[in-house]
Amino acid sequence: MNTSAILIGLALGLGLGVAASATGSPALLRASEAVEPLGQIFLRAIQMVVIPLVAAVVFVGVARIGNLRKLGRQGGLALGIFWVTTLPAILIGMGVMTFALTFTAPIPPPTSVADLDTAAPDVVDFLVNLVPRNPIQAAADGSLLPLLIFIVLLAAATTTLPKEKQETLTSFAETLGDALIKLMTWILWTAPVGVFGLAAPVVAQTGMAMLQNLAVFIGATVLGLFLLKGLVLLPLVWILGGVAPGRFMRATVGTYTVGFTTTTSVGTLPMMLREAEKLGLSKSSFSLVLPLAASINRPGSALFQSTSLVFLAAMYGVPLDAGLIAAAVLAIFLASMTVAPVPSSSIVSMAPALDVVGVPLAGLGILLGIDRVPDAFRTAVNVIGHMSAATTVDGVTRRAGGMRIG
């Protein structure tokens, strides 16, 4: 995949959108609208591969372990790392945005967000729905987390079958996963055109004035994401994973670049798997942790949601006392774990957090208008969070087994 071509496509899309917005030229506005299907086709192509790819890779990762006690240990450790990185992400985001508010100007709210699905899920219903009534329907609906639970249980059951039957199912899933990764690689070669089609209409519709008013918000979010990487993720890799930050950063350049340009965690999965192997991580570890992380680990999204909540609360004049902040932290913590691995999902999923503190949901329309840049940065940090979790799990597992880390 040519990352330079992707960056060129992004620059051209932004250029067309800015020109259309600044000049008001009907021809440029029509051109910006005309290229939108290119971006939608690109996203649909990625989403087409997401569900079967995650299912196949997770199944292989669990089935290849062959030991249910080891599965529980590694899976539990991975979940613990996800939670440990998500909480500081929320706090960093709130702190950075609170400071940045001193540099912001008043921003008018959007007129309507009627098309958004912003219904806040009931906690009990959410927990019940984690067990899918019909896993095929869950796949059709794009419900990754319930599907993932079914796949993990099915793969765990497979480990109890006779060896020849285990090998039959696992080899099939492994071959299917390899084919899907190849298909995703082909799709990513079209990313320059897709990114161009995504960027141009968004900027054309938003306008320069809105981008200028939200420059501080974008800057604060990006700064917070870099702080999260430098203060939380890299020390975790170094202290628990046993990998020096410099080596880790050099080994994950491709992952960061693909995550940044495609803004989808699952779309970055092929690159993550490749670089985890080059980093020397155990395949039994990263083949389980990385797909699991791509489905539910969202430290970058959690930080973005916390900066967004503080920003919108200030814009609408909603005071955040200690109780509301605590409720918001919990709501964002839960919401960030259910963000779908597709572009801009972090926005709609934060609706429950806004509702908790009394911020009008109309603010979501503002975020949608300027989300391309924050989405790129937060996805890049998300995928680095996935790689740091895999590295940490591998390091802890190796030390527990009395092995030296290479």
Side-chain angles (χ1 to χ4, degrees), residues 164-185:
E164 62 275 10
K165 293 184 177 181
Q166 286 186 43
E167 189 59 33
T168 298
L169 285 175
T170 307
S171 296
F172 170 76
E174 194 166 33
T175 302
L176 177 62
D178 291 342
L180 290 167
I181 288 174
K182 175 61 70 174
L183 177 57
M184 182 65 79
T185 302

Side-chain angles (χ1 to χ4, degrees), residues 48-72:
M48 172 181 68
V49 184
V50 162
I51 299 296
L53 176 60
V54 170
V57 175
V58 169
F59 182 91
V60 172
V62 175
R64 287 294 187 201
I65 290 177
N67 185 308
L68 291 181
R69 289 183 62 189
K70 186 178 180 183
L71 167 61

Side-chain angles (χ1 to χ4, degrees), residues 10-287:
L10 177 62
L12 291 175
L14 292 174
L16 175 59
V18 168
S21 174
T23 64
S25 167
L28 291 177
L29 290 171
R30 285 196 300 270
S32 298
E33 294 174 357
V35 300
E36 185 174 6
L38 298 176
Q40 296 303 315
I41 291 172
F42 174 65
L43 287 182
R44 281 175 173 265
I46 290 178
Q47 292 166 348
M48 172 181 68
V49 184
V50 162
I51 299 296
L53 176 60
V54 170
V57 175
V58 169
F59 182 91
V60 172
V62 175
R64 287 294 187 201
I65 290 177
N67 185 308
L68 291 181
R69 289 183 62 189
K70 186 178 180 183
L71 167 61
R73 185 167 60 250
Q74 287 190 330
L77 179 59
L79 287 174
I81 293 170
F82 300 163
W83 297 338
V84 164
T85 55
T86 297
L87 183 57
I90 297 171
L91 299 179
I92 290 173
M94 287 186 168
V96 170
M97 194 64 240
T98 299
F99 173 75
L101 287 177
T102 58
F103 302 98
T104 58
I107 301 174
T111 56
S112 175
V113 287
D115 294 335
L116 292 176
D117 180 12
T118 58
D122 179 80
V123 175
V124 175
D125 290 341
F126 170 75
L127 294 175
V128 170
N129 290 332
L130 288 179
V131 180
R133 181 185 295 110
N134 183 340
I136 297 176
Q137 184 64 46
D141 293 339
S143 302
L144 275 176
L145 193 53
L147 177 64
L148 186 63
I149 290 175
F150 168 75
I151 292 296
V152 168
L153 293 175
L154 179 62
T158 301
T159 64
T160 67
L161 298 177
K163 189 172 182 60
E164 62 275 10
K165 293 184 177 181
Q166 286 186 43
E167 189 59 33
T168 298
L169 285 175
T170 307
S171 296
F172 170 76
E174 194 166 33
T175 302
L176 177 62
D178 291 342
L180 290 167
I181 288 174
K182 175 61 70 174
L183 177 57
M184 182 65 79
T185 302
W186 291 351
I187 293 170
L188 291 178
W189 274 103
T190 70
V193 177
V195 169
F196 171 76
L198 289 169
V202 170
V203 177
Q205 295 167 10
T206 302
M208 282 297 296
M210 181 70 79
L211 291 177
Q212 292 169 357
N213 288 337
L214 296 175
V216 173
F217 166 75
I218 294 173
T221 300
V222 172
L223 174 61
L225 290 169
F226 277 106
L227 290 176
L228 171 62
K229 182 178 177 181
L231 299 179
V232 178
L233 300 181
L234 292 181
L236 189 69
V237 166
W238 191 11
I239 297 171
L240 296 181
V243 177
R247 179 188 168 206
F248 177 82
M249 291 176 66
R250 289 191 299 272
T252 57
V253 168
T255 291
Y256 189 92
T257 303
V258 174
F260 183 91
T261 52
T262 63
T263 64
T264 169
S265 294
V266 176
T268 314
L269 188 56
M271 180 63 74
M272 288 191 285
L273 294 170
R274 188 183 314 164
E275 292 195 331
E277 193 166 2
K278 290 182 180 179
L279 195 56
L281 305 185
S282 169
K283 190 171 184 179
S284 65
S285 293
F286 73 72
S287 61

